[in-house]
Amino acid sequence: EKLKRMLLNCDVHIACSDDIAEKLREQSFRNVHSVENAIDFSRLDGFDDVKKEDRSFLLFGFDYMRKGVDIVLDAFEKLNNKEAILKIVFAANEEDGLNKIKKRFGAIPKWIKVLPPTDDIAKYYRSSLAFISASREEGFCYSIIEAAYCDCQSIISDIPGHRTDVPEVKIFKSESTDELKAKIELVLEETESERARISSIQKSYCIKKYNLEKWSSDIANIYFKILNG
């Protein structure tokens, strides 16, 4: 309620993405600007020696339904002959998430590896072939940018809030387990040279577009524009 009052009393609104800005405009907010969030890439440095784990994929599942954990489980169940490994990190609600998985399968399947939350998230990205986000809703998904910086591809649902601008990111129709399965198989079938090519393109793009210096400049330009009327 306090946040709502603050929003209503502001003359200018700066959203973290074009999607959020459009939602504000739909609610009749005026003078809405958009500056996409940036990443402090320095906190992801220092883990270049971490080796890729063969056939492993990374998923964040703190909100089981919002993050689409059920969708990813469906896809991996269909992939069981591929021997793919799903690494799940529950930053919150771990007990609830694990109980839902156990209820579904009777026990934690051997192809699921539960990882503890960590401040050194770059280790998880660098050890995985791809980060998966089957989210049903997102504001601004930092993880896609972080993954790209850490030489980890992303497989994402086609929802607003996902960074679909990142070159060669693999996108599947939201809720479609068959499309998600196909994208996972694409990653599994790629050669080392193809993965290296994609990683190089994605990392360069994200450093250029989502660095803190660019964000600061964009914010300052909006301030100057408003103040100069």
Side-chain angles (χ1 to χ4, degrees):
E1 187 64 32
K2 184 177 180 180
L3 177 60
K4 183 178 180 181
R5 289 199 303 270
M6 289 175 62
L7 286 171
L8 291 173
N9 290 329
C10 291
D11 295 321
V12 179
H13 299 83
I14 302 177
C16 66
S17 70
D18 291 339
D19 300 314
I20 299 298
E22 188 57 35
K23 288 180 181 179
L24 289 173
R25 295 186 185 100
E26 289 172 357
Q27 296 176 46
S28 300
F29 286 102
R30 299 179 179 179
N31 207 355
V32 177
H33 302 265
S34 174
V35 176
E36 291 187 315
N37 278 345
I39 300 288
D40 178 10
F41 292 114
S42 66
R43 64 185 175 81
L44 302 172
D45 290 333
F47 303 97
D48 293 349
D49 59 340
V50 176
K51 294 182 179 180
K52 290 289 183 193
E53 297 174 359
D54 191 38
R55 313 184 80 76
S56 71
F57 296 79
L58 180 64
L59 171 69
F60 299 146
F62 68 87
D63 188 323
Y64 191 90
M65 294 305 296
R66 179 170 172 251
K67 291 296 183 181
V69 177
D70 56 320
I71 299 169
V72 181
L73 294 178
D74 282 343
F76 268 80
E77 191 172 16
K78 296 175 180 179
L79 274 168
N80 58 10
N81 64 326
K82 302 285 185 179
E83 297 183 350
I85 299 297
L86 178 63
K87 300 183 294 188
I88 307 179
V89 181
F90 292 100
N93 306 314
E94 178 175 334
E95 184 177 356
D96 177 68
L98 292 177
N99 284 339
K100 283 182 169 65
I101 294 173
K102 291 175 183 176
K103 183 177 180 180
R104 173 174 179 154
F105 296 107
I108 303 297
K110 63 180 182 179
W111 43 265
I112 290 180
K113 184 178 181 181
V114 180
L115 302 178
T118 178
D119 291 332
D120 297 330
I121 195 65
K123 291 182 179 179
Y124 290 169
Y125 288 127
R126 289 198 176 278
S127 66
S128 307
L129 292 182
F131 163 73
I132 299 176
S133 178
S135 293
R136 294 177 167 93
E137 179 185 0
E138 287 286 351
F140 180 100
C141 186
Y142 289 93
S143 303
I144 299 166
I145 312 304
E146 293 175 336
Y149 185 81
C150 296
D151 299 322
C152 176
Q153 293 189 53
S154 288
I155 304 173
I156 60 175
S157 53
D158 62 347
I159 62 167
H162 269 157
R163 302 298 90 202
T164 56
D165 60 301
V166 177
E168 301 197 48
V169 68
K170 293 175 172 58
I171 305 169
F172 67 95
K173 184 175 177 57
S174 181
E175 306 276 351
S176 174
T177 56
D178 287 334
E179 283 195 22
L180 173 54
K181 172 177 174 288
K183 299 301 181 184
I184 295 171
E185 288 175 326
L186 267 181
V187 174
L188 289 171
E189 293 166 3
E190 287 171 350
T191 63
E192 289 296 324
S193 61
E194 177 66 3
R195 290 172 185 165
R197 182 191 68 80
I198 293 172
S199 292
S200 177
I201 292 172
Q202 292 183 337
K203 184 173 183 176
S204 296
Y205 177 87
C206 290
I207 290 174
K208 182 178 181 180
K209 183 172 181 180
Y210 294 104
N211 66 81
L212 288 175
E213 290 76 16
K214 180 181 182 300
W215 178 88
S216 300
S217 176
D218 291 343
I219 289 290
N221 287 337
I222 290 176
Y223 288 168
F224 289 136
K225 180 179 180 181
I226 292 169
L227 292 173
N228 292 329

